[in-house]
C-alpha cells in the first residue's frame, strides 16, 4: 500500500494524483513498481535455486527501501546459511587435520617399533 507523503493518506497502488491533496505521485508509483519488480525477480530466482541472483535482487530492494521486511529476512537467511556452511566446512577441515595428525603419530610409533625390532634382531645374530 502506498501512503501519500504530503497528507499521509493510504492510497491505491496506481493512484498518481492523490485523491485528497492532489499531489503528483508519479515518481512514488514508479518507485514502488520498480520495488515490486525487483521482489518478483528475487522470488523467481529463489524458486529457481539461483541464490546469487536472488540475493542481488533482494539487495536492490533494500537499496530502494532499507526497511523492507521480506528482503531483510531473505538476505539474513541466505547469509546465515552461508555462515553455517563455512563453519561446517571449517569443522570438517579441523577433523581431517586431527585424523592426519593421528595417522602421522601412529606411523612414527610404528616406524620406531620396526627400527627397534630390526636393531634387536641384528644385535642377537
Amino acid at each position: 500500500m502506498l501512503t501519500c507523503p504530503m497528507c499521509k493518506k493510504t492510497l491505491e497502488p496506481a493512484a498518481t494524483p492523490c485523491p485528497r491533496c492532489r499531489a503528483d505521485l508519479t515518481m512514488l508509483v514508479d518507485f514502488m513498481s520498480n520495488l515490486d519488480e525487483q521482489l518478483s525477480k528475487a522470488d523467481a530466482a529463489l524458486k529457481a535455486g539461483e541464490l546469487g541472483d536472488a540475493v542481488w535482487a533482494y539487495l536492490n530492494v533494500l537499496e530502494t527501501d532499507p526497511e523492507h521486511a521480506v528482503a531483510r529476512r531473505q538476505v539474513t537467511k541466505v547469509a546465515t546459511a552461508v555462515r553455517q556452511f563455512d563453519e561446517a566446512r571449517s569443522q570438517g577441515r579441523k577433523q581431517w587435520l586431527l585424523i592426519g595428525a593421528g595417522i602421522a603419530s601412529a606411523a612414527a610409533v610404528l616406524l620406531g617399533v620396526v627400527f627397534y625390532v630390526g636393531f634387536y634382531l641384528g644385535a642377537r645374530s
Side-chain angles (χ1 to χ4, degrees):
M1 254 332 177
L2 291 174
T3 303
C4 177
M6 302 301 278
C7 66
K8 306 297 183 213
K9 178 179 167 76
T10 304
L11 307 168
E12 293 298 317
T16 49
C18 175
R20 183 173 179 191
C21 67
R22 295 288 177 206
D24 183 19
L25 304 174
T26 307
M27 286 180 59
L28 181 62
V29 169
D30 290 343
F31 175 81
M32 293 307 287
S33 67
N34 184 34
L35 188 71
D36 291 338
E37 181 183 322
Q38 289 297 324
L39 275 174
S40 358
K41 267 188 202 175
D43 289 338
L46 194 60
K47 287 177 185 173
E50 299 169 0
L51 290 180
D53 293 340
V55 168
W56 280 112
Y58 282 124
L59 289 174
N60 284 336
V61 169
L62 289 175
E63 188 176 294
T64 306
D65 180 11
E67 300 300 320
H68 197 278
V70 173
R72 279 177 164 252
R73 185 174 50 248
Q74 294 296 73
V75 170
T76 302
K77 281 182 183 179
V78 171
T80 302
V82 168
R83 189 176 309 120
Q84 288 174 346
F85 175 77
D86 284 346
E87 287 174 3
R89 199 171 86 192
S90 173
Q91 289 296 327
R93 283 188 195 149
K94 288 177 186 175
Q95 288 175 346
W96 280 110
L97 286 175
L98 290 174
I99 290 170
I103 290 172
S105 299
V109 168
L110 183 62
L111 189 61
V113 167
V114 168
F115 278 125
Y116 179 73
V117 169
F119 179 74
Y120 178 75
L121 292 176
R124 286 190 70 191
S125 55

